[in-house]
Amino acid sequence: MKKLLVYLSDYKLESILGPLFKLLEASFELLVPLVMAAVIDNGIGQSNRGYILWMCLLLVGLGIVGLVCSITAQYFAAKASVGFSTKLRHALFAHVQKLSFSETDTVGTSTLITRMTSDLNQVQSGLNLALRLFLRSPFVVFGAMIMAFTVDVKAALIFVVTIPLLSLVVFGLMLWSIPMYQKVQAGLDRVLGITRENLTGVRVIRAFGKEQEEIRRFSESNDALSRLQLFVGRVSALMNPVTYIIVNLAIIAVIWVGGLQVDTGVLTQGEVIALVNYMSQILVELIKLANLIITVTKALACARRISAVMETQSSMEDNGTTVPAQAEEAIVFDHVSLTYKGAGAESLSDISFTVRRGETVGIIGGTGSGKSSLVHLIPRFYDATAGRVLVDGVDVKEQPLSSLRSRIGIVMQKAVLFKGSIRENLRWGKQDATEEEMLHALDLSQAREFVDQKPRGLDERIEQGGKNLSGGQRQRLTIARALIRNPEILILDDSASALDFATDARLRKAIRENAGGTTVLIVSQRASTVQHADKIIVLDDGEMAGIGSHEELLESCPVYQEIYYSQFPKEVGV
């Protein structure tokens, strides 16, 4: 939590004024029992109506001043806590954006969402309550004890015994609760992860009839979380009744001792009532403190989880300073190997090849052969664990990430569109793209035909993830988004898998005829998609099984032969 408090630095004044005004309110509250004692002894006891009226006006005045102080404290506490959470949320989001794919894969998307929403809201609520009550409640508790000593020392000794006993209960439960609430939040992560998996993969789950199995898996995690929450809630709920029992026993003791003191003339009836009121104030404040501690305990657990993300450093340092000029060799893989974080074996092993500027290169292989892993090394989504990847003759690790990625257009294997218009989605590729540039990109990607059929054209709304489009339409729009920036290197990572063969052929022809000096890498499992490339790289279980033209590979590469002849009749290749 200490590391996160730096985001409270701009709200130092509010963080001081909030508790200060709460202490002022508490000071006025501590005077109320003394005023009531005076009303009973001097007003009611002596039937002095004028004195009673005067004391009642004083009580109203104390109430109004206390209300103003309380509202002011609420304002400053809210301003500080909301401002703190806003800055922290910005910082957390910016930090997550800087994490490499490796860290994002390790931490998990569902966990990051929980940290940025539920956890951060808990921290905000905890800070708000802490600024308002963390000083006020102890101040009232000990202030009431001190005020009790000004009334009667013997009766005040009951306060001396009661307060440590109450503190033991409250803080003992707090120390027990902190690790338990951390387990609750971890369980919430698991439930959220399963929920996210089911929502994103709902079609696959239904296709394979796994609904009941997923319902059972969710129910098990949800029931485990519910049991843990109920257990923690039951133990935490003990705080209120236990404190009530202790304080009420103390009140009985005060009335007993006070009654004896009244009989002997040491105390007045009003002073006994004042002592009872002080004990009641302690009860109310300790209940507040108990609820505060529960909230702060949750907030501290959540703050540790947020800190863990903030302390996660990207394994990919952006320290590059070299911005290369265009070289004849656009891409060079020099004995490159890749092992994913936590993986037991290499995903790529000793890959070496060169791609000249303007070439079209096909990358083919079976599922899991490392095709996507290979192309993800070029824009430096992952760092090679051995060897070097050079773009324009310079190691990608020596280039600024912004400069490197600005020259590369990549269409991921999974087509991702954002909620908004087609125009807004295309401008992700180029912020200042003109309508002519958009239409040209749509023409090249073969998306113009269905965009023109939309009632609003480029302003047609797209739902989140492109849910209102077919798979092929989504893929063509993501290709258009990459083409609109006119990249030096264009990577199509199996991005035409949902297209029919005719549309795929038109797409490849359009890119080839309009590529100019663009270097194109096409990842596919279709032999027809890559067979017209200048060279084809064949991968098999993370290793390069062959490289060459379509004709050369048909003669010399068994892996390519197997892929090709599994898709075309043997006679076609003869």
Side-chain angles (χ1 to χ4, degrees), residues 123-136:
V123 172
Q124 177 182 323
S125 299
L127 178 61
N128 193 335
L129 281 177
L131 290 175
R132 291 191 286 116
L133 298 177
F134 199 70
L135 290 180
R136 182 192 189 280

Side-chain angles (χ1 to χ4, degrees), residues 440-511:
H440 180 62
L442 291 172
D443 282 330
L444 294 180
S445 65
Q446 309 304 304
R448 180 76 178 270
E449 54 180 288
F450 77 83
V451 172
D452 285 345
Q453 293 174 2
K454 299 290 183 183
R456 301 175 63 187
L458 287 171
D459 294 314
E460 185 72 21
R461 302 300 295 176
I462 295 177
E463 297 299 324
Q464 184 176 356
K467 300 295 184 186
N468 57 335
L469 299 175
S470 69
Q473 290 172 339
R474 286 198 296 269
Q475 286 189 337
R476 282 179 279 176
L477 281 181
T478 54
I479 292 169
R481 184 174 59 194
L483 288 170
I484 201 170
R485 70 194 305 175
N486 193 24
E488 295 177 16
I489 298 172
L490 176 64
I491 300 172
L492 304 177
D493 184 6
D494 205 11
S495 55
S497 57
L499 303 184
D500 58 70
F501 283 96
T503 306
D504 185 20
R506 291 198 303 271
L507 171 65
R508 286 183 282 107
K509 181 181 178 183
I511 292 175

Side-chain angles (χ1 to χ4, degrees), residues 354-472:
T354 299
V355 180
R356 302 174 70 83
R357 183 161 302 282
E359 277 189 328
T360 297
V361 177
I363 301 172
I364 196 170
T367 302
S369 59
K371 303 185 297 296
S372 295
S373 298
L374 186 143
V375 296
H376 284 175
L377 295 175
I378 299 170
R380 206 183 166 204
F381 291 153
Y382 296 93
D383 273 337
T385 48
R388 298 187 305 158
V389 179
L390 284 73
V391 172
D392 289 329
V394 178
D395 194 324
V396 292
K397 295 179 182 179
E398 298 174 6
Q399 302 184 37
L401 281 175
S402 58
S403 171
L404 173 66
R405 292 173 181 172
S406 67
R407 307 197 308 277
I408 298 172
I410 183 168
V411 184
M412 295 288 200
Q413 197 166 7
K414 181 181 178 182
V416 177
L417 294 172
F418 299 96
K419 187 175 182 179
S421 66
I422 293 175
R423 187 188 305 275
E424 289 167 344
N425 271 272
L426 290 178
R427 282 185 170 159
W428 272 77
K430 186 179 180 183
Q431 189 66 37
D432 57 349
T434 63
E435 187 155 337
E436 290 73 18
E437 289 175 320
M438 294 183 198
L439 294 175
H440 180 62
L442 291 172
D443 282 330
L444 294 180
S445 65
Q446 309 304 304
R448 180 76 178 270
E449 54 180 288
F450 77 83
V451 172
D452 285 345
Q453 293 174 2
K454 299 290 183 183
R456 301 175 63 187
L458 287 171
D459 294 314
E460 185 72 21
R461 302 300 295 176
I462 295 177
E463 297 299 324
Q464 184 176 356
K467 300 295 184 186
N468 57 335
L469 299 175
S470 69

Side-chain angles (χ1 to χ4, degrees), residues 100-132:
S100 70
F101 279 26
S102 296
E103 282 71 46
T104 306
D105 294 342
T106 302
V107 177
T109 306
S110 58
T111 300
L112 293 174
I113 293 172
T114 307
R115 300 290 195 275
M116 201 168 293
T117 51
S118 174
D119 286 354
L120 219 149
N121 288 337
Q122 287 280 12
V123 172
Q124 177 182 323
S125 299
L127 178 61
N128 193 335
L129 281 177
L131 290 175
R132 291 191 286 116

Side-chain angles (χ1 to χ4, degrees), residues 30-62:
L30 288 172
L31 296 175
V32 171
L34 295 180
V35 176
M36 287 303 301
V39 169
I40 293 169
D41 292 337
N42 301 327
I44 297 173
Q46 299 178 15
S47 300
N48 188 341
R49 294 187 177 180
Y51 186 81
I52 293 173
L53 180 61
W54 170 249
M55 288 293 104
C56 287
L57 290 175
L58 180 59
L59 284 174
V60 171
L62 288 173

